[in-house]
Amino acid sequence: AAMSRKRLQQLTESLVRSARHFNRKEVERLIKLFNTLATESRDRFAAAAGLDRNMFRNILHCTFGMMDDMIMDRVFRAFDKDNDSCISVVEWVEGLSVFLRGTLEEKIKYCFEVYDLNGDGYISRDEMFHMLKNSLLKQPSEEDPDEGIKDLVEITLKKMDYDHDGKLSFLDFEKAVRDENLLLEAFGPCLPDIK
């Protein structure tokens, strides 16, 4: 069922406030786009009113050129704030607001959330290893690639672990990124490129 004009207006009003980086026109377009995508999603899987994981991954892949399964899964979780395995229209617009136009502060929070695999507030050696192993291109070489990744994890920790506790807290991550913006996506591409 198409959304009523009144419902669309209410939703737009509310989202213009919460998704600060979009204007009214953009919010309306994103809601309409969401409704089209969610309808396709429902036709295919008869799922709840929202974007399921497959549909969302498809968007990340086709629209934003994301390739890495693990990262796409993490981006899905970062958008899916209420953890119901479905992205609602509010999660969609608010998520895209940060994803596409977020301030550095918002992007730091978002990336940290993507990389903190178990949600304990730290990026551990183990989590870094998994992320880097996935996002680096496999080079056919004589030596064990895992060794190279372990070295990379140690180098990263040296550079980013300010309190020297062997893992990255949000404060460590934030300080490192503020000193060197390129470190924002240190463990794999989880933001769209400028295009």
Side-chain angles (χ1 to χ4, degrees):
M3 189 180 277
S4 72
R5 284 224 45 79
K6 189 168 165 30
R7 173 82 184 107
L8 179 63
Q9 271 175 323
Q10 287 170 335
L11 192 56
T12 303
E13 285 313 309
S14 143
L15 282 168
V16 165
R17 287 195 296 274
S18 62
R20 297 193 312 277
H21 306 299
F22 293 133
N23 64 35
R24 184 165 274 95
K25 266 255 166 317
E26 290 169 327
V27 167
E28 248 178 60
R29 272 199 212 113
L30 286 170
I31 293 171
K32 285 176 177 157
L33 174 61
F34 175 88
N35 286 337
T36 308
L37 293 165
T39 305
E40 273 176 44
S41 184
R42 256 199 314 283
D43 291 348
R44 294 218 320 263
F45 308 106
L51 302 179
D52 64 14
R53 192 177 299 263
N54 289 338
M55 192 76 192
F56 188 71
R57 285 171 60 121
N58 211 17
I59 295 163
L60 290 177
H61 181 69
C62 299
T63 309
F64 300 110
M66 288 196 181
M67 301 294 211
D68 183 331
D69 285 337
M70 185 182 206
I71 295 269
M72 287 194 282
D73 198 54
R74 296 299 307 167
V75 172
F76 178 83
R77 284 168 193 239
F79 270 69
D80 181 20
K81 295 286 180 216
D82 64 4
N83 243 332
D84 66 350
S85 298
C86 188
I87 290 174
S88 69
V89 66
V90 171
E91 288 169 337
W92 164 252
V93 177
E94 289 178 354
L96 284 176
S97 174
V98 172
F99 189 70
L100 295 172
R101 302 212 179 133
T103 60
L104 181 61
E105 187 57 50
E106 288 169 326
K107 285 180 173 168
I108 291 173
K109 265 201 186 72
Y110 159 81
C111 287
F112 186 83
E113 207 174 303
V114 167
Y115 300 143
D116 176 13
L117 299 180
N118 64 1
D120 68 352
Y122 293 95
I123 302 171
S124 66
R125 271 190 168 80
D126 224 23
E127 288 168 326
M128 278 180 225
F129 182 81
H130 279 300
M131 287 291 179
L132 290 169
K133 190 178 168 88
N134 261 15
S135 69
L136 293 173
L137 294 169
K138 311 286 181 272
Q139 296 296 344
S141 70
E142 296 304 299
E143 57 193 283
D144 176 11
D146 285 4
E147 281 313 306
I149 295 166
K150 282 182 186 143
D151 292 344
L152 194 55
V153 167
E154 293 313 314
I155 292 165
T156 307
L157 272 171
K158 242 193 202 82
K159 189 162 181 58
M160 297 175 84
D161 180 17
Y162 289 96
D163 56 10
H164 306 297
D165 61 355
K167 56 191 177 182
L168 298 186
S169 65
F170 178 71
L171 288 175
D172 286 332
F173 186 74
E174 183 180 37
K175 180 166 173 29
V177 172
R178 285 190 186 285
D179 290 349
E180 176 54 82
N181 288 176
L182 286 175
L183 289 171
L184 185 59
E185 293 186 283
F187 307 111
C190 60
L191 284 164
D193 65 25
I194 305 305
K195 295 198 295 295

